[in-house]
Amino acid sequence: MTNEINYLRILEHPNMLRFEELYEDENYIHIITELLNAGTVSDKNQKKMTVFEACFVLKSVLELLVYLAENCIAHRDIKPGNIMFHRTKDNKVICKLIDFGLCADTKDKSNTTLLKDRAGTVCYLAPELIECNPEKGYYETKVDVFSISMVFWELLTGKNPIRVPRRKGEQRRKSKEYRWVQLIWLTAG
């Protein structure tokens, strides 16, 4: 939670959740943020989005990812459930990324564990996060570009291109078996 609070305090962008205040008592830490009132991309993605709607989500998140990359920050948990909509008083819809608890500073190589460990939701993870091979070095903010591409595909097709088999009694995130379904890329022609 400390990680998320720190990043919410120092980062500011129109397409990310806005931090307001922090209150602590003897039992809890209370984070006050802006109210996002129009649900998540997951809520809206019960059926495929139109190309226009999916491009709106993609553009919004990519604008934030440029800002994060300029600040050497990897979000590491981009998924439909972490992308929310907000409807303003003048009826404008804004798309915002939330959940900064897994963020990592990619320029700080002193924290070798953080930039070599697997973090995020399995079916949105970049290959270098799935492999988690410390000998191959650190990963960078590019892992978020892979994640948003998986989200974009899902918004357009209604399905994530990565399937993670689940064995009886095994948690999905502990499974090391990943199977890519055939990707069909549509080209204009």
Side-chain angles (χ1 to χ4, degrees):
M1 176 162 307
T2 304
N3 193 48
E4 181 161 19
I5 294 167
N6 290 338
Y7 283 110
L8 286 174
R9 280 183 166 161
I10 63 172
L11 299 171
E12 189 174 330
H13 189 276
N15 297 108
M16 69 175 280
L17 180 67
R18 189 179 68 245
F19 175 80
E20 296 289 342
E21 302 225 18
L22 177 74
Y23 296 102
E24 293 183 63
D25 60 31
E26 59 275 350
N27 298 318
Y28 301 101
I29 297 173
H30 307 274
I31 304 172
I32 312 300
T33 65
E34 69 180 312
L35 173 65
L36 301 179
N37 60 10
T40 68
V41 168
S42 290
D43 298 337
K44 307 288 185 208
N45 199 28
Q46 299 305 318
K47 58 182 176 37
K48 294 184 279 187
M49 286 188 170
T50 66
V51 172
F52 178 81
E53 292 167 332
C55 285
F56 170 73
V57 171
L58 179 67
K59 180 181 182 293
S60 299
V61 175
L62 286 176
E63 287 172 355
L64 176 58
L65 291 184
V66 167
Y67 170 76
L68 293 177
E70 288 169 350
N71 288 281
C72 301
I73 305 294
H75 185 276
R76 303 191 311 162
D77 198 19
I78 296 174
K79 60 185 177 182
N82 284 343
I83 304 169
M84 293 193 72
F85 296 107
H86 177 68
R87 188 173 300 279
T88 64
K89 291 178 184 174
D90 60 350
N91 215 26
K92 181 180 175 186
V93 175
I94 301 169
C95 188
K96 297 196 175 215
L97 188 62
I98 65 167
D99 192 357
F100 289 78
L102 294 179
C103 278
D105 182 344
T106 60
K107 71 178 179 269
D108 180 12
K109 302 300 187 205
S110 64
N111 192 345
T112 56
T113 305
L114 195 58
L115 293 175
K116 290 184 178 184
D117 282 353
R118 183 179 299 136
T121 304
V122 172
C123 58
Y124 302 97
L125 290 180
E128 56 265 46
L129 285 171
I130 291 172
E131 289 176 8
C132 250
N133 187 346
E135 287 77 41
K136 287 191 175 183
Y138 305 99
Y139 52 82
E140 300 280 331
T141 58
K142 296 177 216 172
V143 297
D144 290 337
V145 175
F146 184 89
S147 298
I148 192 59
S149 69
M150 293 293 99
V151 171
F152 188 58
W153 178 270
E154 188 172 323
L155 298 180
L156 291 173
T157 66
K159 297 177 185 164
N160 190 288
I162 300 176
R163 301 286 185 261
V164 182
R166 188 180 280 192
R167 294 187 185 118
K168 191 172 187 168
E170 179 182 39
Q171 290 183 0
R172 180 176 285 212
R173 61 196 254 187
K174 290 185 180 179
S175 173
K176 292 193 177 189
E177 295 178 26
Y178 304 94
R179 180 175 51 94
W180 289 79
V181 297
Q182 183 178 7
L183 299 177
I184 303 169
W185 299 104
L186 302 175
T187 57

